[in-house]
């Protein structure tokens, strides 16, 4: 079959011509071809395989392009990369690869297109379209990749044990593609992942996390996490999550399965936010529940302080996985730490002062926190569900009202420490802190508005109580 319509970019003509001049066969392969057949829109990352030197082909192509783009050559890998008009082209020579068990470093030999397709991860990623002039648009599909696209099946070209053992990252990629594309991993492949799961340890955490991020960016990450769990991969990547799995029963009292609950929360939040880090916060919001779980005869199961413990665990988890220890992590920690606050609010009468305190503590993240708490409602009891949702609507309304009145977010005290020092002719001392705190508390309680005059009057009153003398003018 011929698929010239996939190759509309002018660049393909240039590559084809260059390959013809060099007497090489050249093909576009991998994600670009897969996504064309899936009608996922044309990818701007294009992989080219040459039967011969990919580097020579890249250099020839670059010399023909306007602006003569620079070619980045990776000699060790036998690959070359160039960028042209928003497109990133990666060139590689067709190769045969064999691997040693303890390393990802293959022994590479030149090979035919067929050898090259064979060494790839999935049949749907091994589809190749010819770009030489005489055969432009011809499809080469030796492993029935098109059939697998139709069947929505992830299958490896070789025995799955070989494909996954050669490059264990592919186990993560299988789960990621299954989640992104809604495909099924065929049974022998799933079994091979389970059998090879321990080989993931030779893969760097950065690459594993990249795949986790991609799973987290899909509409239903639970699909991926369920697969990671089923194959046993999750226990080594995120043991904090698998520790949440299971229901214990003592004296007829059960708690919910916090692992499956968490996955439901993640799917829920994905309907309302694309913020990757808020999604991570949803994934991790209950991790403190495993180490804090206790059973009390009178009250049943408790998870006291799980939010605090959980937020501490976030740091360790990020560090272990080499995720950024920056404001993104702090954001996740803060959301985890505060994750029960609006829930407690929604169960009780929603008072202005409680809302003011919530806004004060959450600051600019208050909406994100509300989004998590709304996603956290997974009860199947429709009456309860309605009650919680209504209460959260009420909390959201009150947040707006309180904000309009008192501008609590990014709270700036209406009276500064300097002003207190001047008013009472004080040097830096603990009284200043006491007065500032008293004013802040009065504002949060709603005893005074967040305004200078009211705060000044309260400052003078409190100063008087503390025995301070007002400085004479
Ligand atoms: N590939 C592979 N094994 C890997 C990574 C990549 O066999 N561990 C092959 C596949 O044929 C893949 C191609 O290299 O299609 C390009 O890889 P990459 O750019 O990482 O992925 P894409 O398939 O293009 O998909 P995406 O951009 O969604 O990651």
């Amino acid at each position: 079959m011929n698929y010239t319509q996939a190759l509309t970019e002018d660049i393909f003509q240039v590559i084809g011509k260059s390959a013809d001049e060099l007497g090489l066969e050249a093909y576009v392969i991998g994600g670009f071809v897969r996504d064309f057949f899936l009608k996922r829109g044309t990818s701007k990352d294009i992989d080219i395989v040459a039967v011969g030197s990919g580097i020579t082909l890249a250099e020839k192509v670059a010399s023909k392009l306007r602006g003569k783009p620079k070619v980045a050559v990776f000699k060790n890998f036998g690959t070359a990369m160039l960028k042209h008009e928003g497109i990133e082209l990666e060139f590689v020579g067709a190769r045969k690869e064999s691997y040693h068990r303890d390393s990802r470093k293959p022994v590479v030999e030149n090979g035919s297109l067929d050898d090259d397709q064979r060494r790839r991860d999935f049949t749907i990623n091994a589809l190749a379209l010819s770009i030489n002039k005489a055969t432009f648009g011809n499809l080469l599909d030796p492993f029935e990749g098109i059939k697998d696209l139709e069947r929505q099946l992830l299958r490896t070209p070789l025995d799955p044990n070989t494909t996954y053992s050669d490059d264990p990252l592919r186990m993560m990629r299988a789960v990621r593609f299954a989640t992104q594309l809604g495909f099924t991993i065929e049974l022998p492949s799933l079994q091979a992942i389970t059998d090879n799961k321990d080989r993931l340890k030779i893969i760097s955490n950065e690459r594993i996390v990249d795949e986790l991020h991609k799973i987290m960016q899909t509409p239903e990450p639970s699909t991926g996490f369920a697969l990671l769990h089923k194959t046993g991969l999750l226990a080594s990547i995120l043991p904090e999550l698998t520790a949440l799995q299971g229901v214990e029963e003592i004296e007829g009292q059960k708690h919910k399965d916090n692992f499956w609950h968490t996955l439901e929360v993640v799917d829920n939040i994905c309907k309302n936010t694309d913020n990757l880090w808020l999604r991570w916060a949803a994934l991790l919001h209950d991790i403190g529940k495993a180490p804090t779980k206790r059973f009390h005869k009178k009250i049943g199961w408790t998870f006291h302080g799980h939010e605090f413990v959980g937020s501490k665990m976030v740091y360790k988890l990020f560090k272990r996985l080499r995720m950024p220890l920056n404001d993104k992590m702090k954001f996740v920690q803060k959301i985890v730490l505060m994750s029960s606050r609006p829930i407690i609010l929604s169960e009780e009468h929603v008072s202005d002062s409680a809302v003011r305190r919530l806004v004060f503590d959450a600051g600019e993240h208050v909406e994100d926190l509300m989004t998590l708490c709304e996603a956290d409602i997974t009860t199947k009891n429709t009456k309860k569900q309605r009650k919680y949702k209504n209460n959260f609507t009420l909390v959201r309304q009150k947040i707006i009202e309180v904000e309009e009145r008192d501008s609590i977010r990014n709270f700036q005290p209406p009276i500064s420490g300097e002003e207190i020092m001047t008013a009472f002719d004080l040097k830096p001392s603990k009284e200043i802190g006491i007065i500032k705190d008293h004013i802040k508390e009065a504002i949060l309680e709603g005893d005074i508005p967040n305004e200078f005059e009211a705060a000044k009057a309260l400052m003078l009153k409190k100063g008087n109580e503390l025995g301070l003398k007002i400085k004479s003018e």
Side-chain angles (χ1 to χ4, degrees), residues 29-32 34-35 40 43 45-47 90 99 104 116-117 119-122 124-127 163 167-170 173 176-177 180 207 211 214:
I29 198 161
F32 179 91
R34 178 197 69 222
D35 289 350
R40 289 180 90 214
S43 164
D45 283 346
I46 302 180
D47 292 296
E90 180 136 357
Y99 290 79
R104 277 205 63 246
D116 194 275
Q117 286 172 301
R119 71 163 183 97
R120 290 183 179 263
D121 52 3
F122 304 107
I124 62 167
N125 285 344
L127 296 163
T163 302
D167 179 357
L169 181 71
R170 289 168 172 168
R173 284 172 62 90
R176 187 254 291 185
F177 283 123
Q180 267 181 341
R207 302 183 76 204
E211 295 299 329
K214 286 182 182 170

Side-chain angles (χ1 to χ4, degrees), residues 219-421:
E220 279 182 8
S222 66
T223 308
F225 284 98
L227 283 168
L228 290 175
H229 185 46
K230 187 174 174 179
T231 52
L233 289 168
L234 195 61
S236 64
I237 310 170
L238 292 167
E240 297 85 349
L241 275 187
T242 46
L244 294 177
Q245 200 240 309
V247 177
E248 251 190 277
E249 182 171 349
I250 298 183
E251 295 175 7
Q253 303 210 53
K254 288 186 197 171
H255 61 80
K256 67 179 169 225
D257 184 314
N258 285 303
F259 175 69
W260 296 105
H261 161 71
T262 291
L263 296 192
E264 248 187 285
V265 177
V266 173
D267 284 356
N268 282 347
I269 210 166
C270 290
K271 295 188 195 108
N272 295 319
T273 182
D274 289 333
N275 177 344
L276 173 66
W277 299 104
L278 184 54
R279 290 178 172 203
W280 268 97
L283 184 71
L284 304 180
H285 82 285
D286 270 350
I287 52 174
K289 281 193 172 169
T292 57
K293 185 167 95 172
R294 301 282 179 276
F295 182 78
H296 300 268
K297 271 194 174 327
K298 285 200 184 121
I299 38 176
W301 293 100
T302 64
F303 305 91
H304 282 311
H306 77 85
E307 304 86 349
F308 179 74
V309 172
S311 73
K312 297 279 166 222
M313 288 165 74
V314 167
Y315 171 78
K316 287 193 187 145
L317 185 155
F318 269 52
K319 194 159 182 233
R320 184 184 72 236
L321 292 179
R322 296 187 189 279
M323 287 165 73
L325 300 175
N326 57 12
D327 54 328
K328 308 290 186 226
M329 183 207 64
K330 288 199 187 124
F331 166 78
V332 175
Q333 280 191 306
K334 182 160 187 178
I335 299 286
V336 171
L337 180 64
M338 294 194 69
S339 57
S340 302
R341 288 278 297 276
I343 298 168
I344 299 162
L345 253 183
S346 76
E347 283 167 353
E348 296 165 2
H349 165 70
V350 185
S351 74
D352 277 15
S353 61
V355 171
R356 238 180 259 113
R357 282 184 190 281
L358 178 74
V359 178
F360 177 77
D361 291 336
E364 57 178 327
H365 303 313
V366 70
E367 263 94 31
D368 286 338
L369 185 62
M370 291 302 297
T371 305
L372 171 60
C373 290
E374 282 156 351
D376 207 359
I377 308 173
T378 59
T379 171
K380 302 291 170 274
N381 176 332
T382 43
K383 220 169 132 191
K384 272 192 186 167
Q385 204 179 72
R386 206 168 328 122
K387 182 183 142 198
Y388 294 149
K389 281 196 174 146
N390 286 343
N391 278 347
F392 280 133
T393 311
L394 204 64
V395 175
R396 277 195 189 264
Q397 263 166 18
K398 287 230 165 175
I399 289 174
I400 297 169
E401 282 167 27
V402 161
E403 272 294 284
E404 275 172 3
R405 227 177 317 136
D406 301 324
S407 47
I408 298 294
R409 202 177 309 211
N410 304 321
F411 180 80
Q412 294 294 332
I415 290 210
S416 69
E418 306 263 294
E419 283 165 316
I420 299 171
M421 287 200 280

Side-chain angles (χ1 to χ4, degrees), residues 71-91:
V71 181
V73 175
F74 307 97
K75 265 231 165 74
N76 291 348
F77 298 97
T79 63
M81 204 266 287
L82 66 84
K83 288 183 187 169
H84 175 68
E85 296 181 348
I87 292 176
E88 205 171 290
L89 290 162
E90 180 136 357
F91 294 82

